[in-house]
Amino acid sequence: MAIDKTLELFDCGHRACAGCGHALGTRLVLKATGRDVIVVSPTGCLEVFSTPYPETAWRVPWIHSLFENAAAVASGVEVALKRQKRSEKVVVVGGDGATFDIGVLCLSGAFERGHDFTYICMDNEAYMNTGIQRSGATPYDASTTTSPAGARSFGNRRPKKDMPQIMAAHGAPYVATTSVAYPMDLMQKVERAINTEGPCYVQVHSPCCTGWGFEGSQTIAIGKLAVETGLWPVFEMNNGQVTKVKKIMRKPVEEYLKQQKRFRHLFKPIRQEAEIAKIQAIADANASRYGLDLKPRK
Amino acid sequence: MTMRRFLQGNIACAEGAIAAGCRFFAGYPITPSTEVAEHMAERLPKMGGTFIQMEDEIASIAAVIGASWTGKRAMTATSGPGLSLMMENIGYAAMTETPCVIVDIQRGGPSTGQPTMASQGDMLQARFGSHGDYSIIALSPSGVQEMYEMTVHAFNMADRYRIPVFLMADEIVGHMREPMEVPDSVLIIQRRLLEEEGRKPFEPREDLVPDFPLFGHGHFVHVTGLTHDERGYPSTSNPEVHERLVKRLVQKVEGARREIAMFDVVNPDAEVVFVSYGAPSRSVQQVLHDFPGEGFGHLRLKTPWPFPEWAPGRFENAKTFIFPELNMGQMARELERHVDQPVISVPKLGGALHSPEELAKVAMEER
């Protein structure tokens, strides 16, 4: 099934910040799903900026669940559609707070029961809708309002939760990561997910200019740097096995970090070599685990 | 000595908690309460305290309960949707007699409702939200000063009665900024610890409150949400054990109403009396200020729960009670149960306060 790239099911004129990764990502998701889809969205930025009339962006049936229950609402929609022998695809589009933290119970239950739907996590690595609080997706050392960098702290003290592996461990037939910086990759993976029977999970890197602190014109550039530094490995998993990896000529992580206010404390007032080295080690581990490097670094 | 500061209500709440000795906060971001968590995240590590961001509100209140059993003052802050998620744990805290403070910065409901607008729609939920019978204390601040003072008081009441205590604020009071006096020190009422040899961990004193058995102090304390006897062990099929326990959980608060309840009485000779709590009190105060010659009275409930049913009687000439609330009349229903005079509920939904003019108009018609 070919993707109709001219299809616009997520309209312009919504209230997202200029340069919002979620808005771009969701627009691409709907190009891949086509019209024959029902979307469930939990509470979050996407819900808030895309829905108030007359700036409503959705040209497909859409239901806001609560914050914690999108996967369970989707389970109900999917089962009831199937019972009626209907063929619409069911897709959840939610943020990382709703996916990694408050909604993980319902998500785990839905994947364990094996519902035929696709869960897409637009990951901007913190609670942006309530004003930039850390989530389970916030990367190591990122400063947020509830993991503030300062005299006693370099920011978020824990590494990002590995949700793709957690979802794969549920026996999901298809798990993928992608980025709004790679539109074709994103659309192809969503298309594969919705056409794979069973619960599928796609995690989309979605840079947030407001929460991360960069110019709205740099969203794609930042997204590319995350991938090119190895901090956001782009891969596909089928039935628990990594089957495809986006290979890169790896750049040092600081090229990514130094462009964002959330990591500014690693460079000013003094350069925190030890902390930057820890983040480089995360990228190195990703590279070795997923075989990201096109050729070994000298 | 005090220090004059210009603070936001939510920040004053967090500062009050720190002054009260709270060094443990577990929470989850939710508008319009998030500033409480953000301020605790910044302040607590510097004071040797702990801020934990949990994965949801169920986990937040559960962590607070766990921390409280180590003997420490612990709290969480949330708004309506989060309070709804906390309900099973709140019943557990009541059943296990765990002191804890829950700050609810109320917003418009039901469901996701109006995240950035004020409401008092959780007043009955705070009192009756969890299943079964129990009783709690709820405080309603109507300004930044009270956000501070009542947070301190909430910790004292939680420790005094071994119950969950609610600070039932709202978006207006939470986000309001005004000058306040920060005291050098505050009154702390410590939790009464179990130290007497041979006394059982859930054996009540005369005030119906058992001494608190700290973990790790030799009591082999057994804490359970099942119906339990005075030793703390489950006894789920003996009707007498259940009746004795649940009646005590209710009575230790309801029987101490006169000790607990706080309210302000203005113009006790008035015939037309406004009753209020929280933010609408500001509108009522303006009415009394703007119409000094009309002789309106004002009963301001600082503790809506337990409800001080004798307080309306302080207005001996009262012919009518006018009760403005940012809900459909949740506490007016309670007042109606206790007075013979008509109670005029003045509901206001949508987030704005009653204007003094609209309240004055209602009062003029009743005069």
Side-chain angles (χ1 to χ4, degrees):
Chain A
M1 200 163 29
I3 295 168
D4 178 2
K5 294 196 263 315
T6 64
L7 187 64
E8 295 291 359
L9 297 175
F10 192 80
D11 254 342
C12 56
H14 51 69
R15 299 180 180 185
C17 306
C20 172
H22 275 26
L24 172 58
T26 306
R27 182 176 163 212
L28 296 170
V29 165
L30 291 187
K31 284 177 191 288
T33 63
R35 294 178 194 282
D36 203 17
V37 68
I38 293 166
V39 177
V40 182
S41 284
T43 302
C45 272
L46 177 66
E47 168 233 348
V48 168
F49 77 67
S50 69
T51 58
Y53 187 82
E55 295 100 2
T56 316
W58 300 90
R59 290 185 167 272
V60 296
W62 180 89
I63 179 170
H64 168 229
S65 58
L66 298 171
F67 207 175
E68 66 276 17
N69 60 352
V73 171
S75 300
V77 173
E78 185 266 341
V79 167
L81 286 176
K82 191 174 277 176
R83 190 79 185 165
Q84 298 168 64
K85 302 196 189 316
R86 287 167 58 174
S87 63
E88 295 101 312
K89 300 293 184 188
V90 179
V91 172
V92 175
V93 188
D96 50 288
T99 305
F100 284 57
D101 297 346
I102 192 169
V104 78
L105 187 70
C106 288
L107 180 56
S108 178
F111 272 54
E112 181 270 319
R113 289 188 302 268
H115 293 281
D116 184 14
F117 74 84
T118 295
Y119 192 106
I120 296 167
C121 174
M122 289 288 166
D123 183 3
N124 60 16
E125 304 189 322
Y127 291 85
M128 301 313 183
N129 186 38
T130 43
I132 319 163
Q133 293 81 32
R134 77 168 293 275
S135 77
T138 301
Y140 185 76
D141 272 356
S143 183
T144 72
T145 59
T146 51
S147 63
R152 298 287 176 103
S153 171
F154 288 111
N156 190 47
R157 302 316 294 156
R158 298 289 301 162
K160 190 180 177 79
K161 192 194 274 190
D162 192 350
M163 276 304 283
Q165 293 291 345
I166 291 168
M167 299 324 293
H170 281 76
Y174 183 79
V175 170
T177 64
T178 181
S179 164
V180 299
Y182 298 89
M184 285 308 298
D185 186 74
L186 190 159
M187 287 189 288
Q188 283 163 4
K189 284 173 174 168
V190 171
E191 196 209 8
R192 265 170 230 156
I194 63 167
N195 290 312
T196 301
E197 196 175 336
C200 298
Y201 180 78
V202 180
Q203 189 166 297
V204 183
H205 193 241
S206 176
C208 172
C209 46
T210 309
W212 300 2
F214 61 82
E215 284 297 319
S217 60
Q218 298 305 302
T219 304
I220 300 299
I222 294 280
K224 286 202 160 141
L225 278 172
V227 173
E228 288 165 353
T229 52
L231 287 171
W232 187 272
V234 171
F235 59 86
E236 275 181 316
M237 295 176 81
N238 288 91
N239 299 313
Q241 299 301 315
V242 177
T243 47
K244 202 172 166 194
V245 172
K246 182 176 176 55
K247 301 270 183 183
I248 47 171
M249 292 288 284
R250 214 142 52 88
K251 296 178 175 171
V253 293
E254 71 170 279
E255 288 190 27
Y256 174 64
L257 304 177
K258 69 187 179 191
Q259 303 214 17
Q260 303 171 57
K261 220 165 155 183
R262 63 177 174 160
F263 295 114
R264 185 173 54 184
H265 55 284
L266 301 181
F267 301 94
K268 285 175 183 173
I270 52 163
R271 201 180 148 86
Q272 304 291 344
E273 288 297 351
E275 291 302 305
I276 296 167
K278 285 183 202 167
I279 299 173
Q280 185 60 55
I282 294 171
D284 293 347
N286 284 340
S288 125
R289 180 179 184 185
Y290 291 103
L292 296 178
D293 290 330
L294 266 174
K295 58 180 181 186
R297 301 176 82 213
K298 284 174 190 144
Chain B
M1 283 291 288
T2 62
M3 184 169 65
R4 197 165 174 78
R5 293 184 67 185
F6 186 75
L7 289 181
Q8 190 203 58
N10 282 342
I11 306 295
C13 169
E15 286 294 321
I18 289 165
C22 172
R23 292 292 180 273
F24 184 94
F25 183 101
Y28 188 75
I30 183 167
T31 307
S33 78
T34 308
E35 294 85 359
V36 183
E38 288 177 339
H39 196 67
M40 291 301 244
E42 198 183 320
R43 289 275 276 139
L44 282 179
K46 294 174 187 164
M47 327 228 8
T50 300
F51 166 88
I52 322 184
Q53 186 175 317
M54 302 300 288
E55 67 273 24
D56 61 20
E57 289 88 348
I58 299 174
S60 300
I61 181 68
V64 164
I65 290 168
S68 181
W69 272 95
T70 71
K72 296 299 177 191
R73 290 193 151 181
M75 81 176 225
T76 188
T78 189
S79 190
L83 192 70
S84 293
L85 281 179
M86 290 181 184
M87 276 302 150
E88 187 186 11
N89 273 277
I90 287 167
Y92 174 84
M95 186 63 144
T96 55
E97 302 183 72
T98 307
C100 54
V101 172
I102 299 147
V103 176
D104 179 13
I105 312 297
Q106 296 170 85
R107 69 192 220 184
S111 193
T112 313
Q114 294 175 291
T116 61
M117 303 296 270
S119 144
Q120 295 178 312
D122 308 347
M123 296 307 296
L124 292 181
Q125 189 185 27
R127 173 65 186 83
F128 298 108
S130 200
H131 57 281
D133 289 299
Y134 60 97
S135 195
I136 52 85
I137 295 173
L139 304 162
S140 270
S142 55
V144 172
Q145 186 79 39
E146 284 190 345
M147 282 295 273
Y148 184 96
E149 290 170 359
M150 286 188 177
T151 303
V152 175
H153 192 60
F155 280 100
N156 287 341
M157 292 295 98
D159 276 342
R160 170 72 185 80
Y161 296 100
R162 286 188 57 182
I163 49 168
V165 174
F166 295 80
L167 187 79
M168 298 302 289
D170 59 70
E171 187 277 334
I172 293 171
V173 174
H175 284 164
M176 160 192 296
R177 289 168 198 270
E178 61 185 355
M180 65 159 290
E181 301 289 338
V182 180
D184 278 349
S185 64
V186 297
L187 173 72
I188 307 271
I189 301 170
Q190 296 287 3
R191 200 177 296 185
R192 195 171 65 212
L193 297 179
L194 176 56
E195 281 161 348
E196 187 185 314
E197 197 72 29
R199 176 167 279 278
K200 295 193 274 288
F202 288 86
E203 182 181 343
R205 295 256 179 200
E206 263 183 24
D207 60 4
L208 304 183
V209 182
D211 295 356
F212 188 88
L214 270 179
F215 277 167
H217 283 242
H219 306 303
F220 300 116
V221 55
H222 187 102
V223 185
T224 176
L226 288 167
T227 293
H228 45 273
D229 60 19
E230 293 179 346
R231 297 169 303 169
Y233 297 132
S235 172
T236 56
S237 49
N238 183 337
E240 284 162 26
V241 170
H242 185 77
E243 184 180 1
R244 192 164 64 237
L245 172 61
V246 173
K247 280 189 169 168
R248 182 173 66 74
L249 294 180
V250 173
Q251 196 56 25
K252 70 175 175 176
V253 177
E254 297 302 321
R257 286 201 298 286
R258 286 181 184 268
E259 184 186 321
I260 295 166
M262 301 188 298
F263 52 85
D264 285 343
V265 169
V266 180
N267 294 343
D269 298 331
E271 294 183 355
V272 176
V273 179
F274 286 100
V275 185
S276 72
Y277 57 93
S281 305
R282 309 285 287 238
S283 299
V284 174
Q285 284 161 350
Q286 192 66 41
V287 174
L288 266 66
H289 174 270
D290 291 350
F291 301 91
E294 301 293 338
F296 298 138
H298 185 192
L299 171 62
R300 183 165 77 91
L301 304 171
K302 297 180 182 176
T303 53
W305 302 114
F307 191 83
E309 80 282 354
W310 68 95
R314 296 282 297 276
F315 297 87
E316 288 182 1
N317 303 323
K319 288 183 177 160
T320 309
F321 292 101
I322 300 173
F323 206 155
E325 294 181 83
L326 304 180
N327 58 42
M328 297 275 284
Q330 294 192 6
M331 294 303 296
R333 176 200 289 254
E334 180 68 15
L335 177 63
E336 275 175 353
R337 300 200 309 129
H338 302 294
V339 299
D340 297 328
Q341 300 94 326
V343 173
I344 299 174
S345 170
V346 190
K348 186 94 175 174
L349 300 177
L353 274 181
H354 303 77
S355 73
E357 294 74 24
E358 71 182 290
L359 291 183
K361 188 162 173 275
V362 176
M364 297 293 186
E365 283 165 8
E366 289 307 313
R367 215 166 25 126

